[in-house]
Amino acid sequence: MSATKKFRIAMQKKGRLSIDTTDLFKSCGLKINSREDRLISHVENMDIDLLRVRDDDIPGLVMDHVVDWGIVGQDVLEEIGMERQQDGLPTDYTLVRKLDFGGCRLSLAIPVEQEWKGVESLNGLKIATTYPNLTKRYLDSMGVSFKVVHLTGSVEVAPRAGLADAICDLVSSGATLDANGLKEVQVVYRSQAVLIQRNQELFPEKKLIADTLVNRIDGMMQAHGSKYIMLHAPKDKVEEITALLPGAESPTLLTLEGNPNHVAMHVVSTETLFWETMEKLKALGASSILVLPIEKMLK
Ligand code: ATP
Ligand code: ZN
């Protein structure tokens, strides 16, 4: 049970999710009084405390109701969830939003010089990983049994060091695998960062904070990728032009002084506008076409 009335959010202290998480909070308007070395950062303009911890601790903090929210990778969330289940600890939480960062994949990799003969060829072999549960869930589903070598870091050196035959590790570019003489052979799990909430009714004051932040996060994610388009169009082509703009809502039309046959159109489009579309717009008689990024959006 959370002893404090302050809204508490657990985030990764230092690692691949910390910068994006901090950026997300900042873009939601949180003024963070942060000192990197502190466990707790206070938010100056809202009743929120940020708990900066190792990502592995975040699922447990949410599942044990120590914090109200946590931001963590789905990979860690599922892995720790399975571990806690085996230990008979609570594993429930509510998924609030999938976030648009922290994308990566958990993959099996083997030494480059070995020919890959499919997942079955791993039967009975040793696999080094920081994700024993996710690896086992996948290989169980494929009917493959293996010996797990549970490491908490430097998984990619295990085959060369003779500790394992293969590894199951996170991959983004593949450069780390290359550098260690390994090749990716099978994706086991795809992950992204998620926002989770403790599975218990929030006090009204906390609920208000949660709702406000979720609205702002949605506004950020919607704005991301949307464009604001301004152009001049012949009056009789407005419909055709609107039809060309992907995801455009009803456009705003403004009269142009001294130009009765043309209007200025302002449109929010939910997708990127490609050059081909711009050229088609021009062919329809549109001119002065401006495409601007949108920072925030509230519907
Ligand atoms: P901590 O000290 O907090 O335990 P860590 O070393 O376990 O940190 P990081 O390497 O910072 O964790 O990764 C945190 C999360 O970032 C991963 O669980 C994953 O969801 C995500 N992630 C995104 N891209 C990558 C990547 N290329 N490699 C590893 N993790 C990635
Ligand atoms: Zn970790």
Side-chain angles (χ1 to χ4, degrees), residues 108-124:
L108 289 162
I110 61 170
V112 266
E113 63 278 6
Q114 275 176 30
E115 194 190 337
W116 176 238
K117 296 202 184 105
V119 181
E120 313 74 52
S121 62
L122 296 173
N123 224 334

Side-chain angles (χ1 to χ4, degrees), residues 12-18 53-57 72-76 101-105 131 152 169-173 191-193:
Q12 192 187 24
K13 181 183 167 72
K14 194 162 179 274
R16 293 181 200 260
L17 300 180
S18 17
V53 294
R54 287 201 57 188
D55 66 345
D56 314 66
D57 295 335
V72 68
Q74 282 171 311
D75 50 350
V76 171
F101 58 85
C104 60
R105 57 190 190 273
Y131 297 87
T152 54
D169 203 11
L170 291 177
V171 181
S172 51
S173 70
S191 177
Q192 72 193 82

Side-chain angles (χ1 to χ4, degrees), residues 35-258:
R35 284 238 332 251
E36 295 255 318
D37 53 331
R38 292 250 174 98
L39 168 67
I40 296 182
S41 299
H42 301 293
V43 173
E44 288 170 13
N45 55 342
M46 284 175 99
D47 230 359
I48 301 172
D49 277 347
L50 298 177
L51 240 72
R52 297 146 58 82
V53 294
R54 287 201 57 188
D55 66 345
D56 314 66
D57 295 335
I58 296 172
L61 289 169
V62 174
M63 292 165 184
D64 290 334
H65 300 170
V66 177
V67 297
D68 301 292
W69 273 8
I71 290 183
V72 68
Q74 282 171 311
D75 50 350
V76 171
L77 179 61
E78 292 224 17
E79 180 67 28
I80 301 284
M82 285 187 267
E83 198 180 296
R84 288 174 61 94
Q85 193 164 29
Q86 289 154 15
D87 295 342
L89 298 169
T91 55
D92 56 324
Y93 66 88
T94 306
L95 177 70
V96 181
R97 287 293 181 273
K98 291 187 174 185
L99 303 170
D100 52 9
F101 58 85
C104 60
R105 57 190 190 273
L106 182 69
S107 287
L108 289 162
I110 61 170
V112 266
E113 63 278 6
Q114 275 176 30
E115 194 190 337
W116 176 238
K117 296 202 184 105
V119 181
E120 313 74 52
S121 62
L122 296 173
N123 224 334
L125 298 187
K126 280 193 246 173
I127 303 177
T129 185
T130 1
Y131 297 87
N133 290 299
L134 279 176
T135 307
K136 185 169 178 334
R137 186 172 75 184
Y138 173 77
L139 288 175
D140 277 356
S141 78
M142 303 299 286
V144 174
S145 59
F146 69 106
K147 298 188 191 91
V148 67
V149 179
H150 189 184
L151 300 178
T152 54
S154 308
V155 170
E156 63 286 347
V157 303
R160 253 192 330 187
L163 296 175
D165 305 291
I167 66 166
C168 191
D169 203 11
L170 291 177
V171 181
S172 51
S173 70
T176 311
L177 291 183
D178 264 1
N180 287 282
L182 298 169
K183 62 180 174 190
E184 181 180 8
V185 289
Q186 176 66 47
V187 177
V188 165
Y189 186 79
R190 287 188 193 278
S191 177
Q192 72 193 82
V194 287
L195 167 60
I196 55 171
Q197 180 171 311
R198 73 183 157 92
N199 216 356
Q200 199 183 38
E201 186 102 33
L202 296 179
F203 290 127
E205 316 89 79
K206 287 195 175 186
K207 180 144 192 337
L208 193 65
I209 292 180
D211 290 348
T212 306
L213 289 184
V214 169
N215 272 332
R216 292 183 185 179
I217 290 170
D218 286 347
M220 288 304 305
M221 291 204 293
Q222 252 172 30
H224 200 197
S226 294
K227 297 282 175 264
Y228 194 82
I229 301 162
M230 297 192 274
L231 53 83
H232 290 180
K235 259 188 180 162
D236 56 343
K237 291 285 194 295
V238 167
E239 250 176 64
E240 279 176 77
I241 287 178
T242 309
L244 272 181
L245 299 171
E249 293 196 349
S250 40
T252 306
L253 301 182
L254 306 162
T255 44
L256 289 168
E257 270 306 299

Side-chain angles (χ1 to χ4, degrees), residues 257-274:
E257 270 306 299
N259 192 347
N261 300 325
H262 284 72
V263 284
M265 285 177 73
H266 288 202
V267 179
V268 172
S269 167
T270 50
E271 286 166 41
T272 310
L273 200 64
F274 294 105

